[in-house]
Amino acid sequence: QVHLVESGGGSVEAGGSLRLTCSASGVAVRMGWFRQIPNKKREGVAIKWTLRATGGAIAYADSVKGRFDIYRDRDPDNYTVYLEMKNLKPEDTGMYVCAATTDHGGVWLDSSNYNSWGRGTQITVSS
């Protein structure tokens, strides 16, 4: 496991942008975000393979493709990922939680495959 520190988030009007940051205390194989929307199952939003500073596979939820962009810090020793969120919609409102795993394998957007979690940050998008 690694310790995760998050920052960013907040409130924005529909169509606006926000950025989230998540830093891990050590080496992580994959990092990214899940979100919890009231009355809905926790959803994987964006996950990136982080063992390399450049390149690496990414997985996005269909609902955020083309609007969200996850990327990693270019320092290979800095396990920090960023989530740029553009054209935000009211349905993006929810608690966004950074996740990481030190294990390989598993379905990337399945929360059961992650062993490290941040405290979460609320994002509210008003119409």
Side-chain angles (χ1 to χ4, degrees), residues 28-100:
V29 175
R30 301 194 301 268
M31 295 178 66
W33 279 268
F34 288 77
R35 66 184 179 189
Q36 186 69 58
I37 296 173
N39 301 318
K40 290 191 176 181
K41 184 180 177 182
R42 178 173 286 190
E43 177 188 30
V45 175
I47 297 292
K48 181 166 176 55
W49 191 64
T50 49
L51 286 183
R52 282 186 181 176
T54 57
I58 294 173
Y60 291 106
D62 288 342
S63 58
V64 306
K65 285 179 181 177
R67 299 189 298 122
F68 289 15
D69 180 27
I70 185 171
Y71 56 97
R72 185 201 188 283
D73 192 279
R74 289 186 173 274
D75 179 350
D77 296 323
N78 183 5
Y79 284 78
T80 294
V81 288
Y82 306 89
L83 184 66
E84 295 278 0
M85 301 176 289
K86 299 178 182 178
N87 189 23
L88 283 161
K89 303 176 180 180
E91 52 263 42
D92 293 317
T93 294
M95 178 67 72
Y96 285 67
V97 186
C98 181

Side-chain angles (χ1 to χ4, degrees), residues 11 23 36 49 53 56 77 125 127:
S11 299
S23 297
Q36 186 69 58
W49 191 64
D77 296 323
V125 184
S127 57

